[in-house]
Amino acid sequence: MGSKNKLKRFRENETFSNVIQPTRSEVLENFNLKGKWHSFFKNNNPIILELGCGKGEYTIALARKNPNVNYIGIDIKGARFWRGAKTALEENLTNVCFLRTQIELIDFLFSKNEVSEIWITFPDPQIKYKRTKHRLTNSDFLKKYHTILKPEGVVHLKTDSEFMHGYTLGLLHGEGHEILYAHHDIYKNYVSPTEVTETQTFYESQYLETGKPITYIKFKIRY
């Protein structure tokens, strides 16, 4: 994507009613929507997050299927989720918005028990050991998710990375969290949840065309 195109998208994002772009200091100094997301959506429907939402394809697809659920796509790269935000406005999807911020600040953005589910779709597996702290399913992130999730809230991890799948399973077992479902190749498992197989991102479709397996874990964080 050219720099001019990026700048155009950044400018458009600033005019979109469904895009929220707080500064880091605004997030850290008592973020105004923390604990008040239902007032933003003007309803009391469940709130589901997609972390590292990219172009927002998953967020949009879920919002279309579930009009009585609120979806928030989170990513630091606004030029990417511009497409999702624009699509939501064009289709008048009032149950979706996009939040440009760093995921490690998530516990400053949402209050205790404010979120019903979290989707982590095709995150960077951060394979090198020194990048462990950036893996979205490491212990520190799980503690943050636990803080904002409702008691029965769940986390979904969908990835093409066997490393990420194995790392997360090992961590969940080791820390005693509750694994509700796990499979190393969901499209070859006839009992895979439809909520996972019905929605595909652009890159996921490419992975499938090359025969690359897609893995999935659904779990509850227990402390």
Side-chain angles (χ1 to χ4, degrees), residues 57-67 71 87-88 91 93 95:
E57 298 156 287
Y58 226 86
T59 300
I60 291 295
L62 292 172
R64 285 179 184 136
K65 291 176 184 174
N66 306 296
Y71 292 91
T87 297
E91 297 184 15
L93 294 172
N95 63 326

Side-chain angles (χ1 to χ4, degrees), residues 72-91:
I72 303 174
I74 301 176
D75 206 300
I76 193 60
K77 296 186 176 178
R80 284 188 185 170
F81 68 58
W82 164 89
R83 179 63 268 170
K86 193 173 181 68
T87 297
L89 291 174
E90 289 169 350
E91 297 184 15

Side-chain angles (χ1 to χ4, degrees), residues 3 17 22 27 33 42 55 66 83 111 122 174-175 185 208:
S3 57
S17 59
V27 171
L33 283 173
K42 298 181 174 61
K55 295 180 181 179
N66 306 296
R83 179 63 268 170
S111 286
F122 302 95
E175 294 191 352
D185 193 346
L208 291 171

Side-chain angles (χ1 to χ4, degrees), residues 14 30 46 48 53 70 83 92 95 130 198 201 208 219:
E14 291 173 1
N30 196 19
I48 295 181
C53 67
N70 300 318
R83 179 63 268 170
N92 195 30
N95 63 326
K130 65 180 181 180
E198 283 181 349
T201 66
L208 291 171
F219 60 95

Side-chain angles (χ1 to χ4, degrees), residues 18-163:
N18 61 355
V19 170
I20 300 152
Q21 303 185 93
T23 63
R24 186 179 179 87
S25 61
E26 285 172 339
V27 171
L28 296 174
E29 297 168 11
N30 196 19
F31 180 55
N32 66 326
L33 283 173
K34 181 178 180 179
K36 300 173 183 174
W37 282 97
H38 285 116
S39 65
F40 174 84
F41 287 107
K42 298 181 174 61
N43 62 54
N44 288 313
N45 294 336
I47 292 172
I48 295 181
L49 312 181
E50 184 191 3
L51 307 183
C53 67
K55 295 180 181 179
E57 298 156 287
Y58 226 86
T59 300
I60 291 295
L62 292 172
R64 285 179 184 136
K65 291 176 184 174
N66 306 296
N68 294 321
V69 177
N70 300 318
Y71 292 91
I72 303 174
I74 301 176
D75 206 300
I76 193 60
K77 296 186 176 178
R80 284 188 185 170
F81 68 58
W82 164 89
R83 179 63 268 170
K86 193 173 181 68
T87 297
L89 291 174
E90 289 169 350
E91 297 184 15
N92 195 30
L93 294 172
T94 58
N95 63 326
V96 58
C97 74
F98 291 88
L99 177 59
R100 182 172 182 260
T101 191
Q102 293 166 305
I103 294 168
E104 57 263 34
L105 301 177
I106 197 166
D107 48 337
F108 289 92
L109 296 155
F110 300 91
S111 286
K112 185 177 176 66
N113 301 338
E114 194 170 16
V115 175
S116 293
E117 293 182 25
I118 293 173
W119 282 83
I120 306 171
T121 51
F122 302 95
D124 185 331
Q126 309 287 357
I127 291 174
K128 291 183 180 177
Y129 178 75
K130 65 180 181 180
R131 301 290 296 174
T132 302
K133 66 179 181 179
H134 297 291
R135 289 178 202 150
L136 292 184
T137 56
N138 70 28
S139 292
D140 290 338
F141 275 113
L142 293 187
K143 286 170 186 169
K144 291 175 185 287
Y145 305 155
H146 182 257
T147 298
I148 65 173
L149 278 167
K150 293 182 180 298
E152 292 305 306
V154 298
V155 181
H156 308 262
L157 171 67
K158 191 176 183 184
T159 175
D160 63 305
S161 168
E162 292 179 19
F163 168 82

